[in-house]
Amino acid sequence: MSSYVGVLVSDPWLQSQTQSDRFTIGDLPPVFSKLKAFSGTFDENEIKSVLDKSYSNADEEVDFETFLRAFLSVQARGVEKSGGSKGSSSFLKTSTTTVHHAINESEKTSYVSHINSYLRDDPFLKNYLPMDPATNALFDLVKDGVLLCKLINVAVPGTIDERAINTKKTLNPWERNENLTLGLNSAKAIGCTVVNIGTQDIAEGRPYLVLGLISQIIKIQLLADLNFKKTPSLFELVDDTQDAEELMGLAPEKVLLKWMNFHLKKAGYEKQVTNFSSDVKDGEAYAYLLNALAPEHSTHVALETKDPTERAKKVLEQAEKLDCKRYLSPKDIVDGSANLNLAFVAQIFQHRNGLTVDTSKTSFAEMMTDDVETSREERCFRLWINSLGTATYVNNVFEDLRNGWVLLEVLDKVSPGSVNWKLANKPPIKMPFKKVENCNEVIKIGKELRFSLVNVAGNDIVQGNKKLLLAFLWQLMRYTMLQLLKNLRSHSQGKEITDADILNWANRKVKRAGRTCQADSFRDKNLSTGMFFLELLSAVEPRVVNWSLVTNGETEEEKKLNATYIISVARKLGCSIFLLPEDIIEVNQKMMLILAASIMYWSLQQQSDTESTVSEDATDEGDSNSVAGEISNLSLDGVSESTTPGVQDEEMPTKADEEDKDEVDGENNKDA
């Protein structure tokens, strides 16, 4: 936990526990059992049982983010056990912690140097860069959200339409909050874990939270090439198809370790590097790696040097000859700074990966290439799952979900209490029938939630049936969205929300705003222009759309401009969405529904937050500004609620349908 010293634990005993050189998941139960937050709720064995469900490896090293995730996981179980409200307490507000500004200066210096390097020519930020890493300029500059948004676009270009960023010299509180909301929602959309971080935390420049988020964004940027699509030569690391499939399911940092060990073995290094901390402290692995990758710069001086600090200095000098920017110091290597060492190795990979395109292994790449739509859906569901805050981070939906454990975690998140964890098999799972048991439980819960699962068994998930898995995830995402909407209208005693309700609400909202666009269904090809969603966004919040930036959507280029703008505007409004511009341009029915539902949820949530009570006798005209009024009018404007089925009518493709490429995976939403 040494990388995140921005949280000072006020309990001296607990503080001593968290300052050890190596702190693992297995060390947490006795620590947590002594916290006031869990006193009288859990004993040590019960806490161990809760953590075992989320973490398969008790020897996994703990950083601050993992510690926080584990705490929140146990806390959530405690809330359920006591029957209290989920929002009744917060880790950062409990008496066990206080905010302390003694952050890791090496990491701050590294991140500031990275930002100075990549954003120094930005038209807006060049007035504020370069920053001095010796000051707190970073925490001041991040407060208006512009830096956060720009950094996300460096990590994953095109994520944010910069036309949606408020870049006036002086921003009012509403504009500043828009930028921060856009930044946080976009961070989730590129794979960051945003745990217990709100716009207010960034606006206040809380150092440990700011650095934690920035480190994730930079990490995503540095590891962006560690996948088979961008670097097909990674197939050189494997010998057969099974190994290739396993490699595809690894986290990027694990792939980086595998790459590093691949070259170290060829260079004659006898040890195995398993982490970016203790295993690289002495600098020997780096010396061997650089000599193997860049023999033209090899002097063997680093290997002959006995002092670790001096060896680390020689390693960095050699790396600079490969144009690797010096974002860490010899001391950071010797101290075993995991984040900075990972960044260092990732930079070496970017500049000299030492791999060749082995034509004998191109069949692996061809065999594992998905069609574009399947890849987009996998990406969407992966990011959505990770945004839920599950303990297991998903790197590849088709590989990571096959043992059923992650699906059980997701089901427990979206439908608390639905999973009987006593029947679940915790990873690592070696016996195939144990995976089938997990997946059978997933199918059983899906049926209880009224998903359409005709002729689908747990073994289909274990076997990696992509079409059926995507269909299940679609029903799960849709169920979650409809439940959120249903919960906002719990006082109205109405029936279940349907797709037609959402379409009807959106059409009526646009019409009442004096706009002209209407959608016949979520398959309506006219949606490709983007005008309907722009008018809907403007209808729920008139200030959010700058109409001078909107095109007519007549050409493909104009459609793309509108689509990218729609996504960024929706995110800065507060919608957590994971679609891509192509989904709007091609009118992906599933994503159109989720986009409209997200906007509807935000709109009704704003009304719900401002209402203290809802009038029992509200009229059609009189209740137009209330949640109850919005719900009661859903069927009044020409769309019958029965024309589009709810979750209970959802059809999932059977195995006999799998070859039909025109079938819509996992749904049978008829045109309204």
Side-chain angles (χ1 to χ4, degrees):
M1 294 176 65
S2 59
S3 295
Y4 290 92
V5 293
V7 171
L8 179 66
V9 184
S10 53
D11 185 325
W13 175 83
L14 179 58
Q15 176 73 10
S16 68
Q17 300 300 303
T18 61
Q19 293 302 310
S20 61
D21 290 336
R22 190 171 185 274
F23 201 68
T24 68
I25 293 294
D27 297 323
L28 291 179
V31 174
F32 281 177
S33 66
K34 292 179 173 61
L35 296 180
K36 293 179 182 179
F38 302 136
S39 177
T41 304
F42 290 119
D43 60 27
E44 183 176 331
N45 289 333
E46 289 174 316
I47 292 173
K48 183 178 183 302
S49 178
V50 172
L51 293 177
D52 282 348
K53 295 172 184 175
S54 302
Y55 298 93
S56 58
N57 183 10
D59 292 327
E60 178 182 340
E61 199 161 339
V62 176
D63 59 13
F64 172 66
E65 184 181 315
T66 307
F67 180 87
L68 180 55
R69 273 178 167 272
F71 184 98
L72 294 175
S73 177
V74 177
Q75 183 187 70
R77 294 293 177 189
V79 170
E80 293 174 12
K81 184 175 180 180
S82 63
S85 167
K86 286 188 176 181
S88 60
S89 62
S90 169
F91 172 76
L92 294 177
K93 296 179 181 178
T94 63
S95 58
T96 59
T97 61
T98 55
V99 176
H100 186 62
H101 292 285
I103 56 168
N104 188 307
E105 289 296 331
S106 291
E107 289 197 12
K108 185 185 78 170
T109 299
S110 174
Y111 302 152
V112 168
S113 298
H114 184 95
I115 291 168
N116 286 341
S117 175
Y118 282 92
L119 290 171
R120 62 188 174 192
D121 296 325
D122 182 84
F124 179 81
L125 291 175
K126 66 181 181 181
N127 296 320
Y128 306 95
L129 299 179
M131 292 179 285
D132 183 354
T135 69
N136 286 327
L138 171 63
F139 307 121
D140 291 327
L141 186 55
V142 79
K143 291 180 179 180
D144 64 6
V146 177
L147 174 62
L148 182 61
C149 292
K150 299 278 189 177
L151 191 59
I152 287 171
N153 269 358
V154 169
V156 184
T159 299
I160 297 175
D161 187 332
E162 297 203 0
R163 296 176 299 168
I165 305 173
N166 300 312
T167 54
K168 293 190 306 184
K169 189 171 183 180
T170 303
L171 300 177
N172 61 44
W174 184 76
E175 292 168 329
R176 187 180 304 112
N177 188 70
E178 271 193 334
N179 283 348
L180 292 169
T181 302
L182 172 59
L184 288 177
N185 280 325
S186 299
K188 287 193 288 185
I190 65 171
C192 293
T193 301
V194 183
V195 179
N196 211 30
I197 302 177
T199 56
Q200 189 62 28
D201 298 315
I202 309 300
E204 293 174 2
R206 296 186 180 180
Y208 58 96
L209 293 178
V210 169
L211 286 186
L213 182 56
I214 287 177
S215 70
Q216 290 187 73
I217 296 170
I218 293 176
K219 179 180 174 182
I220 287 171
Q221 175 190 345
L222 294 176
L223 299 178
D225 292 338
L226 282 152
N227 62 73
F228 292 118
K229 288 184 179 178
K230 289 192 175 181
T231 313
S233 55
L234 283 170
F235 280 105
E236 188 179 348
L237 304 182
V238 300
D239 295 322
D240 55 37
T241 302
Q242 184 175 356
D243 289 341
E245 290 178 345
E246 291 177 0
L247 189 63
M248 288 180 68
L250 292 179
E253 52 266 40
K254 297 293 185 183
V255 177
L256 191 62
L257 280 172
K258 192 172 184 70
W259 166 81
M260 187 176 182
N261 283 309
F262 173 80
H263 285 297
L264 289 175
K265 184 178 180 180
K266 290 200 302 182
Y269 187 68
E270 297 179 354
K271 300 176 185 177
Q272 184 85 357
V273 177
T274 62
N275 59 63
F276 294 107
S277 182
S278 58
D279 287 359
V280 295
K281 278 185 175 183
D282 58 13
E284 282 188 359
Y286 287 152
Y288 272 94
L289 180 65
L290 289 170
N291 284 346
L293 293 175
E296 72 274 21
H297 299 308
S298 174
T299 61
H300 294 282
V301 175
L303 287 173
E304 296 167 1
T305 303
K306 301 300 181 182
D307 179 61
T309 301
E310 188 64 26
R311 183 185 296 121
K313 182 179 178 182
K314 297 296 182 184
V315 162
L316 291 178
E317 290 174 353
Q318 192 171 345
E320 283 185 340
K321 295 177 182 178
L322 293 177
D323 293 327
C324 293
K325 297 182 177 65
R326 181 175 288 199
Y327 290 150
L328 78 169
S329 66
K331 184 177 184 299
D332 296 323
I333 293 178
V334 174
D335 288 347
S337 175
N339 285 343
L340 297 184
N341 276 293
L342 182 148
F344 177 57
V345 178
Q347 272 205 327
I348 296 174
F349 176 87
Q350 286 182 343
H351 288 87
R352 185 77 63 90
N353 64 39
L355 300 174
T356 58
V357 179
D358 188 345
T359 55
S360 66
K361 295 181 179 179
T362 54
S363 58
F364 292 166
E366 294 170 356
M367 179 189 65
M368 295 178 186
T369 300
D370 294 317
D371 62 78
V372 175
E373 185 175 351
T374 297
S375 297
R376 286 211 307 262
E377 289 196 10
E378 186 277 336
R379 171 195 169 278
C380 174
F381 294 135
R382 168 168 41 87
L383 295 171
W384 172 67
I385 290 171
N386 289 332
S387 75
L388 297 176
T390 54
T392 306
Y393 191 88
V394 176
N395 295 289
N396 184 297
V397 162
F398 301 131
E399 294 300 318
D400 295 352
L401 271 58
R402 289 173 62 176
N403 63 17
W405 182 262
V406 174
L407 285 171
L408 290 173
E409 286 186 320
V410 175
L411 284 164
D412 196 44
K413 282 284 185 182
V414 303
S415 181
S418 62
V419 179
N420 183 352
W421 289 106
K422 293 180 180 178
L423 302 177
N425 301 293
K426 182 185 65 175
I429 305 173
K430 296 182 179 179
M431 303 299 292
F433 76 91
K434 293 289 186 181
K435 299 179 183 179
V436 175
E437 286 180 353
N438 279 355
C439 293
N440 282 340
E441 185 67 13
V442 167
I443 298 299
K444 174 177 170 290
I445 297 171
K447 289 179 178 178
E448 291 172 355
L449 297 178
R450 304 174 74 184
F451 293 178
S452 176
L453 297 166
V454 181
N455 296 328
V456 179
N459 193 52
D460 295 317
I461 297 175
V462 177
Q463 295 299 318
N465 188 315
K466 294 182 179 181
K467 187 167 187 175
L468 295 180
L469 183 56
L470 291 177
F472 183 87
L473 288 173
W474 160 239
Q475 293 189 83
L476 191 54
M477 176 187 270
R478 180 173 174 271
Y479 167 83
T480 305
M481 195 71 248
L482 297 182
Q483 286 300 110
L484 287 172
L485 290 169
K486 178 184 175 183
N487 291 340
L488 283 179
R489 60 193 278 256
S490 57
H491 55 272
S492 68
Q493 302 300 313
K495 65 183 187 65
E496 297 289 327
I497 286 280
T498 67
D499 299 357
D501 289 333
I502 298 169
L503 180 65
N504 186 25
W505 173 87
N507 276 327
R508 194 181 71 258
K509 203 74 178 175
V510 171
K511 184 177 180 181
R512 286 184 175 177
R515 299 288 179 176
T516 58
C517 286
Q518 293 287 280
D520 293 333
S521 72
F522 290 119
R523 291 176 177 171
D524 190 337
K525 293 302 181 183
N526 290 325
L527 294 177
S528 67
T529 67
M531 293 303 297
F532 177 77
F533 285 109
L534 287 166
E535 291 189 354
L536 178 59
L537 287 163
S538 180
V540 299
E541 176 50 74
R543 297 176 296 182
V544 81
V545 176
N546 182 348
W547 286 101
S548 67
L549 302 176
V550 176
T551 73
N552 293 326
E554 295 175 352
T555 66
E556 289 301 308
E557 181 61 28
E558 288 184 344
K559 289 179 179 179
K560 186 170 184 178
L561 286 170
N562 282 352
T564 55
Y565 188 56
I566 287 167
I567 293 171
S568 291
V569 168
R571 284 178 181 152
K572 81 173 182 178
L573 196 64
C575 299
S576 183
I577 50 177
F578 304 96
L579 74 165
L580 292 171
E582 290 79 5
D583 293 314
I584 297 176
I585 296 169
E586 297 172 13
V587 191
N588 182 317
Q589 180 187 1
K590 301 173 186 177
M591 297 303 111
M592 297 300 91
L593 169 63
I594 294 300
L595 176 57
S598 299
I599 298 170
M600 179 181 179
Y601 176 68
W602 181 87
S603 179
L604 296 183
Q605 192 177 40
Q606 303 311 300
Q607 296 174 35
S608 180
D609 289 345
T610 58
E611 292 173 6
S612 56
T613 58
V614 178
S615 174
E616 293 287 338
D617 57 349
T619 63
D620 176 25
E621 293 296 322
D623 67 5
S624 62
N625 291 321
S626 70
V627 176
E630 292 282 352
I631 298 300
S632 66
N633 289 325
L634 282 175
S635 302
L636 297 180
D637 293 324
V639 180
S640 169
E641 294 185 54
S642 63
T643 57
T644 306
V647 173
Q648 65 273 21
D649 300 316
E650 192 75 22
E651 291 185 4
M652 187 163 178
T654 63
K655 280 175 275 192
D657 297 327
E658 290 176 28
E659 299 302 319
D660 182 3
K661 292 296 183 181
D662 296 326
E663 184 75 22
V664 178
D665 297 348
E667 65 170 329
N668 189 30
N669 285 323
K670 300 180 178 62
D671 289 339

